[in-house]
Amino acid sequence: MKLEDFNYELPEELIAQTPRKNRDSSKLLVMDRDTGKITHQHFSDLTKLLVPNDILVINNTKVIPARLIGEKEDTHATIELLLLKDLDDNVWECLSRPFKRLKNKTRLTFGNGKLKAEVIAKKTEGIVHVRFIYEGIFLEILDQLGKMPLPPYIHQELAEKDRYNTVYAQNIGSAAAPTAGLHFTKELLSQLKDNQIKIVEVTLHVGLGTFRPVETEDILSHHMHSEYYELKEEEANILKEAKQKGHRIIAVGTTSTRVLETIYQKYQTFQSCSGYTDIFIYPGYQFQAIDCLITNFHLPKSTLVMLVSAFSKREYILNAYQEAIQKGYYFFSFGDAMFLKKEPKLH
């Protein structure tokens, strides 16, 4: 499979630059994953599209202000770090820019010395391991000095930091938002619960595995970076029972999907566990864990377009993207959403 197979042309004006005023007012393209048939709705219409006993799986990760801009202590050259993974003992895996300026033992300073760091390992692909040196509480310092790590296609700062987090974000550790979840409001979640939809939380801390672009023409040569995931026992039991009874399991976002498919591949059931996943889902993959997927419109040639293509058919997905473009849908992180559905079984 070639990278170009997952390309499409997107007018720049359809890249959403700011979140909608009301999260659940986004457009929702609904597509039958087996037939490719499309209807157009709004995100708040999920109250009509989901049925009692459906299981909605959300990723409760929370984005930290993970973008730090500082300088080298010796030359004062500007250095930018994107915090990706907490390796314990104040050591973080970071994406650095410019990578070539950093060496082992390079010392960095941020916020006039409020936060310092030393490079303890230089890896590949822009990755460094740094040990932070500070007084006080690290996350509080990060909140003062760090910026929300908005993707490069968003050209303006957020008026409200919390709009790059879901309303149910709680487990700190992501370098990017699980964007399909940005459309939910507390009121919508409450309505769904009232309609007997069960809501299950998983955690996947979004890092390079999700947003690193594919640069190899043969997609099978792409290297996925690992990301931390977790599923708790109570949630695993709800999912297990739903699977046994044939109820729909609906993943919110590619991150929730990757957690559930990782676990099901490993155990052939849902089981309480945590660890790191580098699962790479592309056409030909046989889904075992989920039945439906709520997701955003993803970048051309991305692993996320490959995942949604695997969940339906590449031709159906690219056709849906073209129809979304014609109808003026907004794309990417703050854009509109799609619901790839399978009809519920009749009991």
Side-chain angles (χ1 to χ4, degrees):
M1 258 170 295
K2 299 299 179 193
L3 190 56
E4 195 56 39
D5 294 339
F6 301 93
N7 196 13
Y8 67 92
E9 295 295 323
L10 179 69
E12 196 171 334
E13 63 268 20
L14 293 183
I15 300 173
Q17 292 297 315
T18 54
R20 285 183 186 267
K21 187 177 177 189
N22 299 316
R23 289 176 183 257
D24 63 357
S25 65
S26 303
K27 294 178 183 176
L28 182 69
L29 184 148
V30 181
M31 189 184 92
D32 187 301
R33 60 180 281 215
D34 294 324
T35 66
K37 186 184 174 200
I38 291 169
T39 58
H40 298 281
Q41 316 238 17
H42 286 92
F43 201 83
S44 55
D45 293 326
L46 280 180
T47 52
K48 296 178 234 158
L49 294 164
L50 304 191
V51 300
N53 297 314
D54 277 345
I55 309 290
L56 195 67
V57 184
I58 59 177
N59 179 8
N60 65 13
T61 190
K62 187 169 188 177
V63 185
I64 56 175
R67 190 168 158 246
L68 282 169
I69 299 169
E71 57 184 36
K72 289 174 67 178
E73 262 191 3
D74 53 358
T75 65
H76 304 294
T78 299
I79 295 290
E80 184 176 324
L81 296 181
L82 179 64
L83 279 61
L84 296 174
K85 200 181 288 180
D86 184 354
L87 302 176
D88 288 333
D89 198 26
N90 293 324
V91 176
W92 281 75
E93 180 176 282
C94 302
L95 191 60
S96 61
R97 195 169 62 180
F99 182 56
K100 64 179 184 293
R101 283 192 181 154
L102 297 180
K103 298 181 175 67
N104 282 347
K105 299 191 175 174
T106 298
R107 291 181 69 86
L108 309 172
T109 181
F110 306 90
N112 296 319
K114 188 173 276 189
L115 179 65
K116 295 186 175 184
E118 182 179 4
V119 177
I120 60 171
K122 188 169 181 179
K123 303 294 186 177
T124 57
E125 301 181 82
I127 302 288
V128 291
H129 291 176
V130 304
R131 175 171 282 116
F132 286 104
I133 304 140
Y134 56 91
E135 288 182 10
I137 298 168
F138 181 68
L139 288 172
E140 287 183 2
I141 295 167
L142 198 60
D143 207 43
Q144 292 168 33
L145 303 181
K147 295 177 180 291
M148 274 305 197
L150 294 178
Y153 49 76
I154 293 176
H155 305 304
Q156 52 198 82
E157 298 260 326
L158 271 182
E160 304 166 61
K161 265 188 185 178
D162 70 340
R163 286 311 303 269
Y164 196 53
N165 266 312
T166 62
V167 295
Y168 45 78
Q170 61 184 54
N171 280 355
I172 289 167
S174 271
T179 54
L182 294 177
H183 304 282
F184 285 95
T185 62
K186 288 181 176 173
E187 293 74 22
L188 177 56
L189 289 167
S190 181
Q191 280 180 283
L192 292 171
K193 284 179 186 171
D194 290 344
N195 293 354
Q196 297 169 54
I197 315 301
K198 289 182 183 165
I199 296 170
V200 165
E201 296 186 14
V202 299
T203 302
L204 183 132
H205 290 324
V206 184
L208 274 185
T210 296
F211 63 76
R212 175 67 105 184
V214 181
E215 289 167 347
T216 56
E217 188 47 45
D218 177 359
I219 68 165
L220 301 187
S221 302
H222 176 65
H223 170 230
M224 288 288 282
H225 290 260
S226 67
E227 296 166 312
Y228 177 82
Y229 72 90
E230 185 177 336
L231 175 65
K232 295 196 168 155
E233 188 169 0
E234 187 181 343
E235 279 74 11
N237 290 337
I238 293 169
L239 289 164
K240 204 180 289 185
E241 184 184 1
K243 185 63 87 174
Q244 287 163 354
K245 292 184 174 176
H247 297 152
R248 292 191 304 181
I249 294 173
I250 300 159
V252 176
T254 57
T255 59
S256 300
T257 301
R258 291 175 66 233
V259 173
L260 299 180
E261 292 296 326
T262 293
I263 293 168
Y264 218 91
Q265 258 193 16
K266 193 170 181 182
Y267 300 106
Q268 292 305 297
T269 186
F270 294 110
Q271 186 162 313
S272 170
C273 59
S274 63
Y276 287 87
T277 180
D278 61 359
I279 190 171
F280 181 17
I281 297 175
Y282 51 84
Y285 178 86
Q286 297 299 310
F287 284 83
Q288 300 178 76
I290 72 168
D291 304 293
C292 306
L293 172 62
I294 295 168
T295 187
N296 276 20
F297 293 91
H298 302 294
L299 274 76
K301 302 183 182 180
S302 64
T303 59
L304 308 180
V305 165
M306 294 168 196
L307 185 152
V308 295
S309 296
F311 192 63
S312 177
K313 283 186 182 171
R314 184 178 65 90
E315 295 77 11
Y316 290 169
I317 294 297
L318 292 178
N319 175 62
Y321 273 45
Q322 287 309 315
E323 184 154 334
I325 289 167
Q326 287 163 15
K327 299 269 187 190
Y329 278 63
Y330 284 105
F331 278 55
F332 308 162
S333 295
F334 292 135
D336 294 308
M338 63 191 303
F339 177 35
L340 301 174
K341 69 170 186 173
K342 203 178 188 73
E343 291 299 333
K345 293 174 186 168
L346 298 171
H347 291 283

